[in-house]
Amino acid sequence: MTGICTGRVAVVTGAGRGLGRAHALALAAEGAAVVVNDLGVAADGAGGSAGPARQVVEEIRAHGGRAVAHTGDITTDDGARSLVTTALDTFGRLDALVNNAGFLRDRMLVNLAEDDWDAVMRVHLKGHFLPLRHAAAHWRAETKAGRTPDARVVNTSSGAGLLGSVGQANYSAAKAGVLGLTLVAAAELARYGVQVNALAPAARTRMTERTFASTMAPVEGAFDAMAPENVSPLVVWLAAADSAGVTGRVFEAEGGRITVMEGWRPGPTLDKGARWSPTEAGEAARGLLAAAEPARPVYGAS
């Protein structure tokens, strides 16, 4: 198979269903050998099965591609290490890491249990950090050995991480953390030939079917704007050598739309040159807010 990822090896976490599956298939279609990671859990993280990962591997191989399943838990150090080792032992190299694994434990803040908070932080944030750390250690070793990689990392954030989402305090906080991790990793890993970017996708998956149930049903014969496969072309390009020079950026992708997101930037400012009194500070803040762009509403806010 040939394409813009020919000769490259990509790891995709959470690749047994939804967006991860679409990414894995699209990477393989463009020539990449793919490590398909998935625990096969339910939408809330319960249970587990090797079936989803193996099924995606079979799909890739049926179309002439190369793939191997990895069913380890990438939120543990051993599982994340074995993920990287699987790529190296099976295909001899690692060129791209697509961090995508996740699940939901949605509750309003006052009903959000500590276990629900910890579980979502573990899979979304720690599940990004540990694979990234082990992949980065490999790429650093390659650089020190005189073989500077041309490597890529694509992290998965969310509109909830950009704006917040009512009923998803844990998920929003974790996905905002992914953005911070992306920016730091892009700065730190550039010296090792690694580019790191983040994506905030919108698509029809198990995680979103209840949220968008009224707007997500595809119309026969029309463009299915919520299909996960619409997001994957950008992921493939970000994982390819063609994306040279693009790092530390955040994209939104939905249907046929791609948006470069522009994060926190200084807006109106006022410097007194001395300490403010509380009243003065309040007056200054109100004046600055009047001159600033209005904040975008949190998803689900009335």
Side-chain angles (χ1 to χ4, degrees):
M1 301 177 74
T2 60
I4 65 171
C5 287
T6 297
R8 293 175 71 78
V9 175
V11 166
V12 185
T13 68
R17 302 181 178 94
L19 283 165
R21 172 183 174 274
H23 299 341
L25 293 174
L27 284 159
E30 288 294 329
V34 184
V35 178
V36 178
N37 163 265
D38 203 281
L39 281 176
V41 299
D44 64 353
S49 168
R54 291 174 179 169
Q55 183 175 354
V56 174
V57 168
E58 291 172 2
E59 288 184 71
I60 290 172
R61 291 176 176 172
H63 288 87
R66 296 186 299 156
V68 64
H70 177 272
T71 56
D73 184 355
I74 49 84
T75 71
T76 67
D77 193 67
D78 287 345
R81 181 186 295 107
S82 72
L83 178 69
V84 172
T85 300
T86 297
L88 300 177
D89 289 350
T90 307
F91 300 118
R93 58 187 297 134
L94 174 61
D95 301 286
L97 167 64
V98 180
N99 282 316
N100 172 78
F103 59 70
L104 295 177
R105 298 278 183 88
D106 292 352
R107 301 283 190 280
M108 298 301 284
L109 187 59
V110 295
N111 296 320
L112 187 62
E114 183 178 3
D115 287 347
D116 294 328
W117 176 274
D118 290 345
V120 168
M121 287 293 168
R122 184 185 74 250
V123 71
H124 286 280
L125 198 49
K126 192 175 182 182
H128 272 64
F129 161 65
L130 286 175
L132 175 55
R133 174 158 106 44
H134 284 287
H138 165 69
W139 289 323
R140 180 180 64 178
E142 288 290 285
T143 299
K144 290 184 174 181
R147 300 183 296 270
T148 301
D150 189 15
R152 306 287 187 266
V153 177
V154 183
N155 290 330
T156 304
S157 184
S158 168
L162 294 165
L163 295 176
S165 179
V166 171
Q168 294 186 308
N170 49 359
Y171 179 72
S172 297
K175 288 306 192 182
V178 167
L179 297 175
L181 176 63
T182 298
L183 299 179
V184 173
E188 291 186 358
L189 302 182
R191 71 189 71 180
Y192 307 127
V194 184
Q195 296 181 184
V196 187
N197 295 285
L199 180 71
R204 182 177 56 254
T205 69
R206 290 189 305 164
M207 287 175 55
T208 60
E209 61 185 359
R210 286 184 297 177
T211 304
F212 301 116
S214 63
T215 60
M216 293 173 63
V219 177
E220 185 176 355
F223 172 56
D224 183 0
M226 299 307 293
E229 291 78 10
N230 299 328
V231 176
S232 298
L234 179 59
V235 172
V236 172
W237 182 79
L238 288 170
D242 292 27
S243 62
V246 179
T247 194
R249 305 309 297 262
V250 179
F251 298 85
E252 273 194 334
E254 175 184 351
R257 176 177 60 83
I258 296 172
T259 304
V260 176
M261 302 304 293
E262 298 181 338
W264 296 107
R265 298 175 183 273
T269 185
L270 184 60
D271 184 356
K272 179 182 177 181
R275 183 178 302 156
W276 301 90
S277 73
T279 299
E280 289 174 332
E283 291 173 351
R286 287 193 179 279
L288 294 172
L289 288 168
E293 290 290 326
R296 294 179 63 185
V298 171
Y299 287 111
S302 56

